[in-house]
Amino acid sequence: MNANEPHEQRTGGWSQFGSTPPAAGGFPRRDTIAMEQPPPPPAAPHKAARFTAGQKALAGLALAAMAIGGGAVGAAVATSFQPEPVATASAPSPVFKPASDQLTVAEVAAKVQPTVVMIQGQTGEGSGVVLSEDGLILTNNHVVEGAGQGGQMSVKFSDGKTARATIVGTDPATDLAVIKAEGVSGLSKATLGDSDALKVGDAVLAIGSPLGLDGSVTAGIVSALDRTLTTGPEQQQLPPGFGQEQQSAGTTIGGAIQTDASINPGNSGGALVNAAGQVIGINTAIASEAAGGGVGFAIPVNTAKQVSEQLISTGKVSHAFLGVSVTDATGDVPGALIRQVTAGSPAEKAGLRQGDLITRIGDTAVDGGDTVVGQVRGFKPGQEVKITYMRDGASHEIDVTLQEDK
């Protein structure tokens, strides 16, 4: 596997689309079972209420829905039933508490919803984030793939108005694209934040058009950072009414944001926002198991900014090139084993050899070949990167200056 090419999809790896097509309607069934209640115990002398560990209980219900719709991804929702708090007339709305501001969930949603659009095409639908007042919109490449082959798109704004849209540029390597809505002006544009400042546990909202329900909002937290996710080439099995099945090209994305905010079919290309209403990610994929839950992933907005700026200015994106083919390590030490080094490449110039085991690239630990692929794609040509590797049982570090991938 070349470190500048998609990693081969492995059984059980991340999947953008899940493994099971949806049932008609796209929603799971939820049954309620009535349990016969035992007779109450005899009255006992009054004592202060106390609970032992054996008397405490937590019940949970996991619902799973897996479907695809053009720019859509599979989805899963997990809900725990716990004692309800007592509500009062003066109970405040839940509050986000960022360092620089204090907004309720409702205020963040109201601020961001006008900047997120629904994208409809011949083969499905997705979401997008408004970048400019005159109609530049950031979305996923897999949302607009059909339009790139002569298909047509329309964009629906939060006020219900629609406009035709054309592609400005696409970048399959990062699964990002920019489109342009025609004949519009004075749009509300999104405020882009800093994804490098995110911390695990930060509150986030996912905003988009799941299942065709434009302007939908789901809440969660940042579950993990710097994930590498590989979406392999896969036949998209669309729900009834979403059009014909189509082949979606896969890619490997590094540095992804993992969230438990519910992401459903149609959320692809929509906004993941922080507590200040700033976009910090572009929702793009989900990892799920047929019998379990799922977690969502978003492309960091810092990567999206870099890619979108190049697409807007030149219509294409320059990617960094390391010059190694790698595979997953099979020994006790996790990493990426170098199978081949390209002659004249940055890797060869820095001294990397066939058989070296890459264990860290930049600040990221390497647990397989796809980690190297995803990380390299997140760097810029000309950027110097520290690589840690093992050779003959000893650990070494080198600095590699990446070149542009021609």
Side-chain angles (χ1 to χ4, degrees):
M1 183 195 79
N2 191 290
N4 301 88
E5 297 298 328
H7 190 274
E8 182 179 352
Q9 178 71 19
R10 300 190 299 273
T11 301
W14 300 126
S15 169
Q16 183 180 350
F17 306 112
S19 59
T20 304
F27 291 98
R29 196 179 94 188
R30 183 165 118 184
D31 294 324
T32 300
I33 301 175
M35 302 294 292
E36 182 178 354
Q37 298 296 319
H46 176 74
K47 293 183 180 180
R50 297 181 62 186
F51 293 92
T52 66
Q55 292 173 318
K56 296 179 181 179
L58 176 65
L61 175 65
L63 307 180
M66 299 170 60
I68 296 302
V73 295
V77 181
T79 304
S80 292
F81 292 93
Q82 301 189 39
E84 293 289 340
V86 177
T88 65
S90 61
S93 172
V95 176
F96 278 141
K97 295 182 179 179
S100 60
D101 200 355
Q102 181 167 318
L103 300 173
T104 66
V105 173
E107 288 170 339
V108 173
K111 176 180 178 180
V112 181
Q113 280 175 315
T115 71
V116 179
V117 302
M118 179 178 180
I119 301 173
Q120 297 173 302
Q122 292 179 328
T123 57
E125 58 191 26
S127 305
V129 176
V130 177
L131 295 178
S132 69
E133 295 180 357
D134 61 352
L136 289 172
I137 296 168
L138 175 65
T139 186
N140 283 138
N141 174 68
H142 71 263
V143 169
V144 301
E145 277 180 321
Q149 300 171 0
Q152 307 213 349
M153 288 180 297
S154 66
V155 174
K156 182 179 180 181
F157 299 96
S158 62
D159 60 3
K161 296 180 180 178
T162 61
R164 293 175 60 89
T166 56
I167 291 179
V168 174
T170 64
D171 184 38
T174 56
D175 194 21
L176 291 168
V178 175
I179 63 175
K180 178 73 160 59
E182 300 175 353
V184 297
S185 61
L187 299 179
S188 297
K189 63 178 183 179
T191 301
L192 305 185
D194 180 9
S195 51
D196 289 342
L198 284 176
K199 296 179 181 179
V200 173
D202 282 350
V204 290
L205 297 183
I207 302 178
S209 304
L211 304 171
L213 304 171
D214 55 303
S216 296
V217 179
T218 55
I221 63 169
V222 173
S223 303
L225 295 168
D226 207 20
R227 294 296 199 198
T228 298
L229 104 110
T230 299
T231 63
E234 189 165 339
Q235 190 75 15
Q236 296 183 18
Q237 298 175 315
L238 307 184
F242 273 68
Q244 298 179 345
E245 294 183 1
Q246 59 177 331
Q247 185 75 18
S248 174
T251 190
T252 297
I253 301 170
I257 302 164
Q258 179 182 324
T259 180
D260 67 347
S262 181
I263 295 176
N264 291 275
N267 271 120
S268 288
L272 188 70
V273 303
N274 63 14
Q278 301 168 331
V279 177
I280 46 82
I282 301 299
N283 299 320
T284 190
I286 192 167
S288 65
E289 296 291 342
V295 289
F297 296 91
I299 300 169
V301 76
N302 289 3
T303 298
K305 282 191 285 189
Q306 173 191 333
V307 170
S308 63
E309 288 169 359
Q310 294 183 65
L311 290 176
I312 292 169
S313 60
T314 67
K316 60 181 182 179
V317 180
S318 297
H319 290 288
F321 173 66
L322 176 60
V324 295
S325 293
V326 293
T327 188
D328 295 348
T330 56
D332 295 334
V333 179
L337 183 67
I338 297 179
R339 296 191 303 180
Q340 184 178 356
V341 178
T342 303
S345 67
E348 185 188 57
K349 293 175 182 177
L352 288 174
R353 303 177 192 169
Q354 181 181 10
D356 289 344
L357 181 68
I358 299 176
T359 57
R360 182 173 291 273
I361 181 166
D363 296 327
T364 302
V366 174
D367 56 8
D370 54 357
T371 306
V372 176
V373 175
Q375 289 299 311
V376 169
R377 283 183 172 167
F379 295 131
K380 301 177 182 178
Q383 186 173 348
E384 186 176 84
V385 179
K386 185 179 294 295
I387 292 180
T388 304
Y389 65 97
M390 295 191 69
R391 179 186 298 167
D392 298 327
S395 182
H396 306 272
E397 288 185 351
I398 55 170
D399 291 323
V400 182
T401 301
L402 302 176
Q403 297 175 357
E404 182 178 355
D405 190 11
K406 303 284 186 177

